[in-house]
Amino acid sequence: MKNRGHSIFALARFPKTTFVAIASAVLIGTPAVQRSAHAGDVPTFAVDAAWPKPLPNNWILGQVGGITVDKEGHVWVIHRPRSLTDDEKGAALTPPRSKCCVSAPPVLEFDADGNLLRSWGGPGEGYEWVGREHGIEVDEKGFVWVGGNADNDNAILKFTLDGKFVMQIGKIAPSKGSNDTTQLGKPAETAVDKDANEIYIADGYGNRRVIVFDATTGAYKRHWGAYGNPPNDDKQPPYDPKAPVSQQFANPVHCVKLSNDGLVYVCDRINNRIQVFKKDGSFVKEWFFEKNTLGNGAVWDIAIWPDPKQSYLLRADGENNEIRVLKREDGSVVGSFGRSGRNAGQFHWVHAMAVDAKGNVYTAEVDTGKRIQKFKLTSDALR
């Protein structure tokens, strides 16, 4: 205490200009999450390590194949019960191996505070459940769309919020290729255009296209491949950052997102690029990211920022385990968060991502990650 008091007294004797300089240096060095937010700030985030709340019923999550936010701000998740190891699902074995745990149902709904609201999913009457869960979307009419990416998961399923089956597009059966209009090819993700009542599908792990159907009847509308051209299924060489850019999508075509101004954003994951289209499939532009990334690629998912102009895109990179903030107008990177790791706020194979109207970001991890996380907005980036 004596030394501390001496330091304060010594600081009081500094010239005023010196004190101002020290104070400025401290402010500049303070992390963005601790400074006062300013209108128009780039989005920044802090992890909420207490989200979600513990699951009931001795439940545990497997690999999380999709995550989305509905119009109520509720977070919907689809996970893979069959990805759990015997050690993780020990209580479900016969005889039980351990006290914990048993798999949660595949589809779960949480509120923004992390409370579980409902759960359902799995095989049932009148439909074919997928072999490996992948992708979930909740449209504004209150329907839940899910898909899968196992070998014969060539369909998407439509349910009510309570899990009542409504419709199936495609079949759990062998694929018929990237130009077939009745069957899918291990679809990765969906997006619903509420005004046109159309569902866009990133199709996906088997096929190399975006395909569009009527969201009520399931009638085929149109499809396209990279650069808006017809897709083909010819064998492609492994990705090489030094080679000419591919004229086809690689597998997987991993995401599709719709902006309010009529643009369609598509994740060409292995080719490390986002391609942008009009809704009719006309090519607009493309952006490349981390072009030297090999493995599973650098463009896994996109979330569109919820300010009035939708000024930013968030891009999940599951190979480098970062989320980057992009200017939507030109794709330039203006921020990032995350890194490989096991701690809260870090990632292992960050696979999917969603953002709510308040700017909170929700992430889902596959492989051995098997978790969901929430990141709270810490800047004034919604004006």
Side-chain angles (χ1 to χ4, degrees):
M1 288 298 294
K2 179 179 179 181
N3 290 340
R4 182 180 177 188
H6 179 72
S7 298
I8 294 172
F9 177 75
L11 183 61
R13 293 185 298 170
F14 281 7
K16 182 177 181 181
T17 54
T18 305
F19 183 81
V20 171
I22 292 173
S24 298
V26 170
L27 179 60
I28 292 170
T30 303
V33 296
Q34 297 177 10
R35 297 201 301 264
S36 298
H38 299 284
D41 278 356
V42 170
T44 59
F45 307 90
V47 67
D48 181 353
W51 193 96
K53 295 179 181 177
L55 293 174
N57 306 320
N58 212 16
W59 285 349
I60 191 173
L61 293 180
Q63 296 175 1
V64 185
I67 192 166
T68 193
V69 177
D70 68 16
K71 65 180 181 180
E72 306 298 330
H74 295 170
V75 181
W76 290 77
V77 166
I78 187 166
H79 83 106
R80 301 169 180 167
R82 284 160 288 197
S83 70
L84 291 166
T85 65
D86 283 353
D87 177 57
E88 291 168 326
K89 62 181 180 182
L93 301 179
T94 304
R97 171 174 165 170
S98 56
K99 293 170 61 177
C100 191
C101 299
V102 298
S103 174
V107 176
L108 304 101
E109 176 191 6
F110 298 88
D111 64 20
D113 293 325
N115 298 297
L116 180 65
L117 302 180
R118 74 182 116 193
S119 58
W120 49 266
E125 279 192 41
Y127 63 90
E128 303 170 287
W129 189 253
V130 296
R132 182 169 56 239
E133 294 80 359
H134 197 298
I136 186 167
E137 178 73 9
V138 182
D139 65 31
E140 298 224 354
K141 294 182 179 179
F143 294 108
V144 183
W145 300 82
V146 302
N149 72 334
D151 284 346
N152 285 328
D153 282 348
N154 299 318
I156 57 168
L157 307 174
K158 181 181 181 181
F159 296 91
T160 66
L161 296 176
D162 289 322
K164 181 180 178 181
F165 174 68
V166 177
M167 183 176 69
Q168 179 172 318
I169 298 175
K171 296 180 179 180
I172 308 299
S175 172
K176 297 180 179 180
S178 290
N179 288 295
D180 182 76
T181 61
T182 63
Q183 184 76 319
L184 301 176
K186 296 192 280 188
E189 192 177 81
T190 59
V192 177
D193 181 347
K194 64 177 182 178
D195 296 326
N197 193 41
E198 293 179 336
I199 182 164
Y200 288 68
I201 303 171
D203 187 40
Y205 275 82
N207 291 335
R208 298 174 179 154
R209 64 181 177 180
V210 173
I211 188 167
V212 185
F213 295 90
D214 185 279
T216 300
T217 67
Y220 166 79
K221 293 295 191 73
R222 59 195 175 276
H223 74 274
W224 66 86
Y227 298 104
N229 297 322
N232 72 57
D233 297 315
D234 295 344
K235 184 175 177 59
Q236 297 185 34
Y239 172 76
D240 181 353
K242 298 178 182 178
V245 299
S246 176
Q247 297 304 298
Q248 292 286 329
F249 288 136
N251 297 120
V253 186
H254 205 248
C255 85
V256 60
K257 303 291 183 182
L258 308 178
S259 61
N260 292 338
D261 54 5
L263 295 177
V264 182
Y265 294 83
V266 179
C267 296
D268 190 4
R269 193 173 92 178
I270 302 299
N271 285 324
N272 297 327
R273 65 184 175 185
I274 295 171
Q275 288 202 333
V276 187
F277 303 88
K278 296 180 181 178
K279 290 182 179 180
D280 64 2
S282 301
F283 176 73
V284 177
K285 55 189 172 183
E286 66 182 356
W287 303 313
F288 290 86
F289 304 94
E290 303 292 337
K291 288 190 70 173
N292 290 326
T293 298
L294 303 176
N296 289 295
V299 182
W300 291 46
D301 201 9
I302 296 169
I304 299 177
W305 193 242
D307 69 337
K309 294 182 179 181
Q310 297 187 319
S311 304
Y312 300 100
L313 300 174
L314 304 180
R315 176 176 57 84
D317 178 346
E319 184 67 40
N320 296 296
N321 285 301
E322 297 177 344
I323 293 177
R324 300 184 185 92
V325 182
L326 320 176
K327 287 186 178 179
R328 191 166 73 90
E329 61 182 1
D330 60 11
S332 59
V333 178
V334 294
S336 67
F337 62 98
R339 48 148 284 188
S340 291
R342 306 292 184 182
N343 293 346
Q346 300 173 350
F347 303 114
H348 177 70
W349 282 28
V350 55
H351 180 257
M353 172 180 54
V355 60
D356 66 17
K358 297 180 180 179
N360 299 306
V361 174
Y362 302 89
T363 62
E365 296 169 55
V366 291
D367 194 52
T368 60
K370 298 179 180 177
R371 65 174 174 177
I372 53 179
Q373 297 191 77
K374 177 179 181 178
F375 295 81
K376 293 182 177 180
L377 178 66
T378 56
S379 60
D380 190 3
L382 287 176
R383 297 187 184 183

